[in-house]
Amino acid sequence: MTESGSQWLETVKEMRETFDAQKEQVSQCPFLEYSHRRDALLRLRQAIKQKSSALQQALSDDYGYRAPVDTEIADILPLLHQIDYTRHRLKRWMKPQKRRPGITLLGTKLVVHSQPKGVVGIIVPWNFPIMLAVSPLICALAAGNRVMLKLSEFTPNTNQVLRALIAEVFSPNEVAVVEGEVEVSRRFTELEFDHLFFTGSTQVGRQVMLAAADNLTPVTLELGGKSPVIIDDQIDMDVAVSRLIYGKCLNAGQICVAPDYVLCPEHRQEAFIHAYQRAFRAMYPDFEANQDYSQIVNQPQAMRLEETLQDALDKGARRWCALDQQTMPTAEKRRWPTQLLTQVTDDMRVMQEEIFGPLLPIVTYQDISEALLYIQARPRPLALYLMSNDAEIRAQVTKQLHAGGMGINETLFHVAAEDAPFGGIGDSGMGHYHGIEGFYTFSHSKTVLTRDKWDTSFLVKPPYNRWYKRLMRWWLMR
């Protein structure tokens, strides 16, 4: 359903008024004390717990069906833990940091203060609309900012619950929710935010950064890309598959850090396919009636995946269903078991675009160095996964390959690490959040130099030809 001209114009007008009101609040109270931030996080935590069931149901309604436990594990629980982690450390994070001024600034004191940036804009995608709205919100609130959330138009039911949740906890001058389609999103990115945080595709991320550049707005881009899984020549195949399959099946693979393709030794390809089929059947018995597997979010996404699959088959790929069935999935039926693809080539869409769904290409290699070169020749991924118990291979892959984050003998779970940064590199994004890095992302580190009674600055001021000044410069340059 598209917005009429009057609808989106009214939304844009209200959005501008809300932004101006938040800016005014920043002017009146530019620094929120620890107690204010702590209490805001506690109220937010209570509201999330209270509305947990409503959030799960709303997101399932938006998807047609989304496994409630998927939402509980991937959205609700991480947010509760993130709030607890943040509030227990926030006082220490906010404390000004003493630095050493060095001998050239003798007689001064040097302190770095973390100052709120001001008004932050957060653009939320449809695949995890709860987690990817509230997680950066937690970081922004901890840093003392006001926030505007632009929610996805593809999750209206979830948006309704989130809007009510936010309204219970915050005034619009603290945190505001914006909804709308493409034109509203474009106008949102053009606001003069003090920081703009975007989660989504690389293509749209470029547009967001271009819009932000007009205002010199700093941006954090959490994008995606094609995250590979390397399987080495020695690891037990059942173990390797058991470690990667959840990352591919959670939310039906609609995750920015889901395994996008597998690099497998050529002689082990058949073993991988059979191991994946066994593991899938064990995880999702009686698949048609199983309540633990989620649907593709909507018809357009299902059509995109169907076209991507058909393009691969038309160009020579072979398909292996995770259920060991040969029924071809269609866009009309949005509940697909993983479709494994072999004999894939670079001219196929499945190898050119981020998949974001239950398709899994398998690329074979002869030697581990060939696999590494394959990854190096492509844009840097958001996640890199290695299935190996070999210490030398682990070290080689860790040092040689760039990625936003990495998992060894595991997929996906590095995102849940509260005490470590999460972010991309190159085409997969820029900037970090989670942990103290999230606090710093939404803070300005302001250096404050103080000189009290003891003034040594005369040593570096003109006239420069005094003997003791020449001696001092000689001594410093030695």
Side-chain angles (χ1 to χ4, degrees):
M1 181 177 178
T2 58
E3 295 168 302
S4 68
S6 59
Q7 282 179 319
W8 74 257
L9 283 172
E10 184 63 27
T11 301
V12 168
K13 179 175 178 291
E14 293 174 358
M15 185 169 68
R16 165 53 72 175
E17 291 172 351
T18 300
F19 176 80
D20 291 341
Q22 289 198 359
K23 276 286 191 181
E24 179 62 25
Q25 285 291 304
V26 171
S27 297
Q28 293 178 9
C29 185
F31 188 88
L32 297 175
E33 298 296 339
Y34 164 74
S35 60
H36 183 104
R37 305 183 198 188
R38 178 202 61 203
D39 292 347
L41 292 173
L42 280 172
R43 295 196 310 272
L44 180 60
R45 189 188 195 282
Q46 291 167 358
I48 292 170
K49 282 197 70 175
Q50 290 171 358
K51 291 190 179 294
S52 173
S53 296
L55 287 166
Q56 291 176 51
Q57 184 59 55
L59 194 46
S60 184
D61 292 342
D62 284 327
Y63 268 66
Y65 179 77
R66 195 197 204 217
V69 180
D70 277 5
T71 302
E72 183 178 84
I73 291 175
D75 289 273
I76 306 298
L77 288 175
L79 294 176
L80 299 179
H81 293 167
Q82 183 184 352
I83 291 173
D84 292 341
Y85 171 90
T86 300
R87 65 187 180 89
H88 291 150
R89 292 160 178 78
L90 181 55
K91 183 178 286 188
R92 183 169 74 247
W93 294 350
M94 291 177 64
K95 187 178 180 180
Q97 300 175 21
K98 293 182 180 179
R99 302 292 179 91
R100 296 180 180 179
I103 194 168
T104 56
L105 297 175
L106 199 65
T108 67
K109 296 177 182 178
L110 199 61
V111 179
V112 176
H113 293 258
S114 292
Q115 189 171 28
K117 286 190 173 180
V119 179
V120 170
I122 298 173
I123 303 175
V124 183
W126 54 260
N127 63 322
F128 285 93
I130 304 167
M131 176 67 178
L132 297 178
V134 181
S135 181
L137 173 63
I138 292 166
C139 297
L141 292 173
N145 298 282
R146 278 70 174 184
V147 181
M148 293 178 67
L149 291 166
K150 167 59 184 70
L151 303 181
S152 170
E153 65 271 28
F154 298 119
T155 54
N157 295 293
T158 307
N159 296 358
Q160 186 176 356
V161 181
L162 279 174
R163 181 184 283 276
L165 186 156
I166 294 296
E168 287 180 9
V169 179
F170 305 101
S171 75
N173 290 343
E174 295 175 300
V175 181
V177 172
V178 176
E179 294 183 75
E181 298 184 19
V182 175
E183 188 60 32
V184 173
S185 297
R186 186 177 70 81
R187 297 297 185 95
F188 187 87
T189 63
E190 293 173 354
L191 293 172
E192 302 88 351
F193 287 113
D194 298 296
H195 194 97
L196 190 56
F197 188 100
F198 170 79
T199 304
S201 70
T202 302
Q203 179 183 3
V204 179
R206 290 191 175 96
Q207 298 170 11
V208 169
M209 192 171 184
L210 189 62
D214 286 339
N215 298 315
L216 294 179
T217 298
V219 296
T220 299
L221 300 177
E222 297 297 341
L223 308 178
K226 301 189 71 61
S227 297
V229 181
I230 305 171
I231 297 177
D232 83 353
D233 198 38
Q234 300 299 322
I235 192 168
D236 180 274
M237 189 59 77
D238 287 322
V239 171
V241 168
S242 72
R243 302 293 178 83
L244 72 86
I245 191 169
Y246 181 68
K248 189 62 182 178
C249 293
L250 179 67
N251 205 33
Q254 297 165 110
I255 310 176
C256 59
V257 290
D260 198 273
Y261 65 96
V262 171
L263 283 158
C264 181
E266 186 172 20
H267 70 95
R268 306 193 77 191
Q269 177 177 265
E270 185 176 349
F272 174 81
I273 293 170
H274 293 324
Y276 196 100
Q277 290 172 332
R278 288 193 300 272
F280 190 91
R281 290 195 299 269
M283 286 177 65
Y284 305 105
D286 191 14
F287 181 74
E288 294 302 323
N290 193 285
Q291 298 297 298
D292 295 335
Y293 195 83
S294 300
Q295 287 193 170
I296 298 165
V297 66
N298 55 34
Q299 200 70 16
Q301 288 295 323
M303 290 178 64
R304 176 187 64 81
L305 288 164
E306 183 181 24
E307 291 168 0
T308 301
L309 174 58
Q310 191 59 54
D311 172 79
L313 297 176
D314 290 344
K315 292 174 180 176
R318 289 192 64 191
R319 181 179 68 89
W320 307 80
C321 181
L323 289 177
D324 199 20
Q325 299 168 345
Q326 292 306 310
T327 303
M328 182 74 169
T330 63
E332 285 71 32
K333 188 174 183 181
R334 287 161 34 208
R335 201 160 184 268
W336 294 13
T338 311
Q339 304 296 303
L340 307 170
L341 294 171
T342 60
Q343 300 179 25
V344 293
T345 55
D346 287 347
D347 63 333
M348 298 173 182
R349 283 176 53 180
V350 76
M351 296 307 297
Q352 296 173 349
E353 304 169 1
E354 184 178 7
I355 293 170
F356 227 70
L359 306 179
L360 185 59
I362 305 167
V363 178
T364 60
Y365 69 88
Q366 301 293 334
D367 182 80
I368 192 69
S369 60
E370 181 185 344
L372 270 57
L373 289 172
Y374 185 93
I375 296 171
Q376 284 181 315
R378 286 156 177 79
R380 293 170 175 178
L382 183 57
L384 168 66
Y385 303 118
L386 171 65
M387 302 297 155
S388 175
N389 294 318
D390 187 307
E392 290 186 10
I393 292 177
R394 289 181 177 188
Q396 182 182 10
V397 172
T398 301
K399 293 177 181 178
Q400 189 170 326
L401 298 183
H402 285 86
M406 183 176 172
I408 298 176
N409 292 345
E410 193 52 271
T411 59
L412 191 66
F413 284 100
H414 68 287
V415 180
E418 294 158 357
D419 197 30
F422 174 75
I425 181 173
D427 280 17
S428 61
M430 63 176 64
H432 298 91
Y433 70 124
H434 294 188
I436 194 170
E437 283 81 7
F439 176 81
Y440 286 142
T441 286
F442 294 105
S443 302
H444 170 63
S445 296
K446 183 170 69 177
T447 297
V448 178
L449 182 144
T450 303
R451 189 183 294 278
D452 290 323
K453 293 181 180 180
W454 189 25
D455 184 5
T456 59
S457 64
F458 72 93
L459 292 171
V460 295
K461 295 177 181 177
Y464 296 126
N465 62 353
R466 298 289 190 266
W467 69 268
Y468 56 88
K469 295 183 181 181
R470 292 198 302 270
L471 178 63
M472 185 192 71
R473 292 198 303 273
W474 170 83
W475 184 77
L476 290 173
M477 292 288 289
R478 75 190 193 285

